[in-house]
Amino acid sequence: MMKVFARGIAFDGKHGVYEEERRDGRHFEVDVEVTLSDASSADSDELDETLDYRHLAEIVVEVAQGPSRFLVEKLAGEVLRLVLERHGQVEEVCVEVRKIAPDVAGSPQWVGARLTRRRSG
């Protein structure tokens, strides 16, 4: 088993429930981690025997630039769905979406959601 990940994929987007978030936009960061059952690339040193982490980052950017979403949970779900749909070698995927939240009580640095799903079947 092998883990491949891309962390801190950053973008500005007009996602959120509140009008000012959708109007002004917010800064987001996303982490994606996948589990692959085949770890042969650790011996072979061949890119075609693993999942290129650039593909994970490209999916995040595609979702980020897509339709505006109300919830970070929906953004995470879309990334997760596309990773599983496009990369059959992925056994499990975990996506965390963080939104900078200066207008939230207590001034948290980030708010967000983490979603993990195993391939069914």
Side-chain angles (χ1 to χ4, degrees):
M1 184 179 329
M2 177 177 290
K3 302 268 187 186
V4 174
F5 54 86
R7 295 198 174 112
I9 305 162
F11 64 92
D12 291 319
K14 297 190 178 199
H15 306 286
V17 172
Y18 301 103
E19 181 183 338
E20 63 271 13
E21 294 175 309
R22 296 168 78 79
R23 181 187 62 233
D24 303 335
R26 293 291 185 265
H27 184 72
F28 296 81
E29 282 192 6
V30 177
D31 297 340
V32 182
E33 181 174 293
V34 299
T35 302
L36 308 174
S37 59
D38 183 358
S40 59
S41 61
D43 295 321
S44 72
D45 200 26
E46 296 293 329
L47 182 59
D48 63 353
E49 291 185 11
T50 190
L51 174 57
D52 188 338
Y53 47 77
R54 291 180 300 174
H55 295 299
L56 299 175
E58 288 166 358
I59 288 172
V60 170
V61 170
E62 177 183 335
V63 170
Q65 293 174 346
S68 181
R69 306 293 189 189
F70 288 124
L71 302 176
V72 292
E73 291 89 332
K74 180 64 173 176
L75 291 170
E78 286 296 308
V79 171
L80 188 146
R81 181 184 64 77
L82 289 174
V83 169
L84 289 173
E85 184 178 286
R86 295 179 184 174
H87 300 288
Q89 72 271 47
V90 172
E91 300 270 328
E92 182 178 80
V93 59
C94 179
V95 178
E96 180 175 289
V97 178
R98 296 179 302 276
K99 176 171 59 173
I100 196 163
D103 56 347
V104 173
S107 300
Q109 181 179 1
W110 299 100
V111 296
R114 182 180 303 124
L115 183 60
T116 302
R117 188 167 297 147
R118 290 193 62 76
R119 184 177 297 282
S120 58

